[in-house]
Amino acid sequence: MSTNIDKNTPAKDMTIGGNIYEAGNAVEFKTGDWRSIKPKYISEKCTQCGLCFPVCPDDAIPVGKDGKRTDFNYDYCKGCGVCAKVCPFKAIEMVNEE
Amino acid sequence: MPYNLKEVIANKPSRFTSGHRMCAGCGAPPVARMILRALKPEDHAVIANATGCMEVSTFMYPYTSWTDSYIHTAFENAASTLSGVEAAYKSMKKQGKLPDDKHTKFIAFGGDGGTYDIGIQALSGAMERGHDMVYVCYDNGAYMNTGIQRSSATPKFADTTTSPAGSVIPGKMQSRKDLTEIMEAHHLPYVAQSIAFANFKDLYEKAEKAIYTEGPCFLNVLAPCPRGWGYPTDMLMQINKLAVDTCYWPLYEIIDGKYVINYKPAKKLPVEEFLRPQKRFKHMFKPGNEWMIEEFQKEVDKRWDDLLKLEEMTNK
Ligand SMILES: Cc1ncc(C[n+]2csc(CCOP(=O)(O)OP(=O)(O)O)c2C)c(N)n1
Ligand code: SF4
Ligand code: SF4
Ligand code: SF4
Ligand SMILES: [Mg+2]
């Protein structure tokens, strides 16, 4: 199934009923360019307390199998600042997007 | 097993992916994602989603944020659609057309407009018929997707585009419908009210109970909308905490008719602390409008006291 469609794509190239056959393929759609400010991860201050893990609406905080987070996934982060506000250790700072 | 946030996140991959088009800071995606994490990884789910913000922004052709089977339904009938799927599944299982060792769970998501208002008949019917499904209302207190029109879940005095606060009316004139109690009146095996709070233990555990209790179960989850409520997007978790600390949105569950209040704030905060950061209540803080805050507080106190009494009564 092609996700490469635009206003000139003929209807016959669309799936019947608008069905989508690829589970979770929205990951192909990057939302990072919505951002005007961005979170900066200050790993030295992070205690891996976990409080920011579940709050990100855009699932842009990667957490590994070891239960530890790594740097933000800027492909999707929309810059809402929710993560920075919950961090008790000031390990996330909101900065201007260059 | 006791809840462990890190283990849940590390071992249960997200079933609601990035790349959706809900607004920055929207309260609904963290709720939906955590509810789905309560599924056992080996179980499959069929999701029915009523038209509303969540539906239009997570399943925009040709992209889906859902890794389970997903049906876009109309605004009013997520519950009937899903009940039909559940009935078909049961029948096919009985006929041996589906493997015995694989399990599918059925979860509907609807906004407050799609649930408290236009979808309530479909919901009531599906619950009464006893389908083995969970209906989740993500309540953001208005018809957000179409431009912040008031619903029966909108709190009294809220300024919305169809209840504009001004010299004619003080915002919405009516008080909020209590849908959780209406669902309890169906005598369901499990009914609960939750929110994304602290480490999400409350939400996860309620989702797990609702999904794995046989029969029709209902979850009502407050999911703030920064755009419609008018608070800074980064305040999501603080707004949620204020909603529970003021007892505006009590966290409780009803298991076979027995009420359990899951969180009783050590110090119940005045409701104005929840109202103040939100532009939809701004007019309530103007000189001369103190009566609005007083009336709002009275209603919150009354509902909280009623809940405390229900807990006492049903646990005698
Ligand atoms: C029968 C019908 N009437 C009106 C609409 C237009 N409509 C689409 S979504 C929506 C509001 C949804 O509100 P809610 O259920 O609270 O979800 P939210 O967008 O707030 O998340 C409306 C009125 C529709 N799709 N179908
Ligand atoms: S700023 Fe918002 S979108 Fe970006 S990582 Fe933090 S919570 Fe997620
Ligand atoms: S909330 Fe802060 S300290 Fe805790 S895991 Fe996130 S970044 Fe690290
Ligand atoms: S309008 Fe509100 S509920 Fe809808 S996506 Fe935006 S923040 Fe979320
Ligand atoms: Mg709504």
Side-chain angles (χ1 to χ4, degrees), chain A residues 39-73:
Chain A
K40 202 173 107 190
Y41 179 47
I42 308 160
S43 58
E44 313 82 71
K45 290 193 189 169
C46 174
T47 64
Q48 299 291 350
C49 73
L51 277 179
C52 64
F53 298 179
V55 305
C56 175
D58 294 287
D59 216 4
I61 303 176
V63 178
K65 283 268 169 232
D66 56 357
K68 291 188 172 154
R69 65 159 292 173
T70 47
D71 200 1
F72 291 102
N73 185 339

Side-chain angles (χ1 to χ4, degrees), chain B residues 22 49-57 72-73 75 111 138 144-145:
Chain B
M22 299 193 87
N49 197 180
T51 308
C53 275
M54 185 182 280
E55 182 270 325
V56 302
S57 340
H72 158 212
T73 73
F75 190 20
Y138 69 98
M144 297 306 179
N145 175 50

Side-chain angles (χ1 to χ4, degrees), chain A residues 1 14-15 18 20 22 24-26 29 31 34 48 50 54-59 64-65 67 76 78 80-82 85-86, chain B residues 5-6 10 14 17-22 24-26 29-30 33 59 61-67 200 233-234 237-238:
Chain A
M1 178 190 149
M14 311 280 183
T15 54
I20 301 175
E22 285 158 61
N25 69 347
F29 190 90
T31 53
W34 290 25
Q48 299 291 350
V55 305
C56 175
D58 294 287
D59 216 4
K65 283 268 169 232
Y76 306 107
K78 293 174 186 159
C80 68
V82 171
K85 202 94 177 177
V86 297
Chain B
L5 168 69
K6 285 190 197 171
S14 163
T17 71
S18 312
H20 62 77
R21 264 62 86 71
M22 299 193 87
C26 178
R33 191 174 293 118
F59 198 86
Y61 191 82
Y63 299 105
T64 176
S65 280
W66 306 79
T67 65
F200 286 50
T233 57
D234 63 357
M237 295 302 286
Q238 286 71 30

Side-chain angles (χ1 to χ4, degrees), chain B residues 111-113 140-144:
Chain B
D112 50 291
N140 53 30
Y143 294 42
M144 297 306 179

Side-chain angles (χ1 to χ4, degrees), chain B:
Chain B
M1 234 195 334
Y3 175 77
N4 181 319
L5 168 69
K6 285 190 197 171
E7 272 172 27
V8 166
I9 305 262
N11 300 329
K12 294 180 142 184
S14 163
R15 302 167 84 128
F16 181 108
T17 71
S18 312
H20 62 77
R21 264 62 86 71
M22 299 193 87
C23 302
C26 178
V31 166
R33 191 174 293 118
M34 192 49 99
I35 289 174
L36 296 178
R37 274 202 161 105
L39 282 158
K40 295 178 190 157
E42 65 273 24
D43 288 352
H44 177 71
V46 175
I47 317 283
N49 197 180
T51 308
C53 275
M54 185 182 280
E55 182 270 325
V56 302
S57 340
T58 59
F59 198 86
M60 213 182 272
Y61 191 82
Y63 299 105
T64 176
S65 280
W66 306 79
T67 65
D68 290 280
S69 303
Y70 176 93
I71 313 172
H72 158 212
T73 73
F75 190 20
E76 59 276 27
N77 60 355
S80 357
T81 302
L82 197 65
S83 69
V85 183
E86 188 266 352
Y89 171 81
K90 254 194 194 148
S91 162
M92 288 171 77
K93 268 237 147 143
K94 217 189 239 166
Q95 298 170 55
K97 291 181 177 166
L98 292 172
D100 274 338
D101 57 341
K102 289 212 163 70
H103 304 289
T104 298
K105 297 309 222 173
F106 301 89
I107 308 174
F109 285 96
D112 50 291
T115 309
Y116 285 69
D117 290 349
I118 196 168
I120 196 168
Q121 173 183 276
L123 172 61
S124 178
M127 297 283 111
E128 186 273 334
R129 290 191 301 276
H131 295 276
D132 187 12
M133 60 183 266
V134 184
Y135 190 103
V136 180
C137 175
Y138 69 98
D139 177 356
N140 53 30
Y143 294 42
M144 297 306 179
N145 175 50
T146 41
I148 326 176
Q149 292 86 19
R150 57 84 88 194
S151 76
S152 57
T154 306
K156 192 167 184 178
F157 302 121
D159 181 34
T160 72
T161 52
T162 48
S163 62
S167 53
V168 181
I169 55 163
K172 191 189 169 195
M173 308 267 288
Q174 303 80 9
S175 65
R176 195 170 55 83
K177 184 193 276 183
D178 195 338
L179 183 65
T180 310
E181 289 305 305
I182 295 173
M183 297 323 294
E184 174 46 23
H186 289 68
H187 300 285
L188 307 179
Y190 190 74
V191 173
Q193 203 165 272
S194 187
I195 203 166
F197 178 55
N199 65 358
F200 286 50
K201 178 179 190 284
D202 189 83
L203 182 62
Y204 180 89
E205 289 182 341
K206 284 173 180 169
E208 196 174 39
K209 284 183 202 166
I211 295 168
Y212 290 103
T213 297
E214 207 183 320
C217 298
F218 178 77
L219 288 181
N220 202 2
V221 187
L222 194 72
C225 163
R227 177 171 156 273
W229 295 15
Y231 64 85
T233 57
D234 63 357
M235 268 190 79
L236 171 63
M237 295 302 286
Q238 286 71 30
I239 291 279
N240 280 352
K241 184 159 170 22
L242 288 167
V244 294
D245 278 339
T246 57
C247 299
Y248 169 76
W249 190 260
L251 304 184
Y252 69 104
E253 59 192 344
I254 314 164
I255 307 164
D256 287 325
K258 268 193 198 300
Y259 282 68
V260 180
I261 303 176
N262 312 96
Y263 178 79
K264 291 178 184 162
K267 187 172 172 280
K268 180 166 170 258
L269 297 178
V271 76
E272 55 180 284
E273 301 207 13
F274 170 68
L275 306 175
R276 197 180 292 109
Q278 305 181 43
K279 276 208 193 83
R280 62 178 174 157
F281 299 119
K282 199 171 110 200
H283 56 289
M284 296 172 76
F285 292 87
K286 283 200 185 132
N289 286 348
E290 293 79 5
W291 65 274
M292 294 182 193
I293 297 176
E294 278 162 35
E295 200 185 305
F296 202 107
Q297 182 69 61
K298 256 194 207 140
E299 185 65 28
V300 168
D301 291 346
K302 185 187 172 299
R303 291 190 189 195
W304 176 245
D305 288 344
D306 287 350
L307 191 60
L308 291 169
K309 279 185 208 132
L310 280 166
E311 187 188 40
E312 204 188 307
M313 252 164 55
T314 55
N315 284 284
K316 262 196 195 133

